[in-house]
Amino acid sequence: MARPQVVLGVSGGIAAYKACELLRRLTESGHDVRVVPTESALHFVGEATWSALSGNPVSTRVWDDVHQVPHVRIGQGADLVVVAPATADLLAKAAHGLADDLLTNTLLTARCPVVFAPAMHTEMWEHPATRENVATLRRRGAVVIEPAVGRLTGADSGKGRLPDPADIFEVCRRMLARGPQPADLAGRHVVISAGGTREPLDPVRYLGNRSSGKQGYALARTAVARGARVTLIAANTALPDPAGADLRTAGTAEQLREAVLKAAADADAVVMAAAVADFRPAVYATGKIKKQEGADPAPLALVRNPDILAELSAARPRPGQVVVGFAAETDDVLANGRAKLVRKGCDLLVVNEVGEHRAFGSEENEAVILGADGSETAVPYGPKEALADRIWDLVVTRLA
């Protein structure tokens, strides 16, 4: 079988050196990679390096090997184009259809999925012109990965750092696995909650649950690969930030509610994958609760937490918004799930059975996805990303 054809575009930013690691991962996983740098990129990493690492010729100009018409052929033959780093200048040219070098010509002729991994200073990323260019590219179906937060050039820190090459590679891998089908969440904003809330009892103890956040993070990663702008609200997780998602954190159910409702105001879909504590202690002890010798502990009074899923389903802050809930059950799984679907008022409810080595903390999951329209979709045991993709399939049909 022919190897997948990948074009790696490299624009002129200091993060260009990190693209060497992305190139290595792509070639070592069996992809035929053609590197197309800009002239500015060659100030950071030379032509000989790109050619040696890829095993293919490297050029920046449309005038080289004219008889092969490279400004058309490279894009036409690609299965994927990824630009890393993508500077503010490159994003502007791509958004406005400019074609003054081989890379921008390739972007105009490519009919395959296109990924941009931006890298620039925070002020440049947040500038209204850049934000509008990114929105334009996303509306057209391109995947623009959210930059990471961290150390930038010099002593500066903030949002604008190139995501880790390993994370960019995973986005590319997922997009290649999906094939030529369009990024069906392009131009959409999705909000995902993940992890488990913790309700403090005293400065040392809390009421919580065993949710690791892995299913929510899988939903975020797959949504990025399908072109969505992703807001991930994580409660007490210990997982690496998923590349391309705008990560926000919460601790308690009240904090999660506030963050979700704020993010949902302009969201096309909200997926409540977090395990939200149903109850919290009625009284918070400001000092550590001491055990008394020979005495039983005082009864623990609990009060109900807000029902975020039901509130979201009833409010629908954006017309046509799709709301998805999760139900972790231990017995009468489907019966309890159907009752919960009616009670919560959401569009889809992902019902799974939990227990020792099941769902919580595991890399795999299985579920039945119940629809408010009476549909039932069984997803067999497998990777959590497979379940995440099936959930997005059903969300997409409802968004349409």
Side-chain angles (χ1 to χ4, degrees), residues 64 77 102 123 189 299 340 355:
D64 295 335
L102 189 56
E123 293 84 357
H189 177 209
K340 187 171 185 178

Side-chain angles (χ1 to χ4, degrees), residues 321-389:
Q321 186 178 81
V322 177
V323 178
V324 183
F326 272 68
E329 301 290 345
T330 57
D331 52 66
D332 295 330
V333 175
L334 285 181
N336 287 333
R338 293 186 188 101
K340 187 171 185 178
L341 175 65
V342 173
R343 192 167 64 251
K344 301 294 186 180
C346 50
D347 300 288
L348 295 167
L349 188 71
V350 184
V351 184
N352 50 22
E353 187 174 356
V354 297
E356 195 69 27
H357 306 300
R358 302 191 69 172
F360 286 148
S362 172
E363 300 296 335
E364 291 78 30
N365 204 351
E366 62 180 319
V368 176
I369 307 172
L370 304 178
D373 57 2
S375 62
E376 294 188 10
T377 305
V379 182
Y381 188 78
K384 287 186 172 178
E385 286 191 2
L387 173 58
D389 262 323

Side-chain angles (χ1 to χ4, degrees), residues 22-164:
L22 176 59
L23 173 57
R24 183 187 68 81
R25 289 178 177 271
L26 287 167
T27 55
E28 289 185 354
S29 57
H31 301 88
D32 186 6
V33 186
R34 175 77 179 262
V35 181
V36 183
T38 64
E39 285 286 349
S40 298
L42 295 182
H43 286 285
F44 298 98
V45 181
E47 178 182 332
T49 299
W50 297 123
S51 182
L53 290 176
S54 68
N56 283 316
V58 172
S59 179
T60 65
R61 305 189 315 138
V62 297
W63 305 110
D64 295 335
D65 299 319
V66 173
H67 65 288
Q68 297 179 3
V69 202
H71 72 290
V72 174
R73 295 288 181 259
I74 294 175
Q76 285 180 335
D79 296 303
L80 177 75
V81 176
V82 52
V83 183
T87 61
D89 178 67
L90 188 282
L91 293 172
K93 289 179 177 178
H96 290 85
L98 301 181
D100 60 356
D101 62 5
L102 189 56
L103 177 54
T104 49
N105 272 271
T106 298
L107 289 169
L108 279 181
T109 57
R111 294 298 180 266
C112 60
V114 178
V115 183
F116 294 94
M120 63 197 74
H121 266 69
T122 306
E123 293 84 357
M124 300 174 75
W125 173 252
E126 293 178 347
H127 194 281
T130 303
R131 304 308 301 155
E132 181 58 33
N133 290 332
V134 168
T136 297
L137 291 168
R138 284 174 169 160
R139 282 196 302 271
R140 292 178 187 157
V143 173
V144 183
I145 301 174
E146 288 286 317
V149 176
R151 182 72 176 268
L152 305 173
T153 306
D156 293 340
S157 293
K159 189 168 187 176
R161 181 183 176 91
L162 184 73
D164 189 275

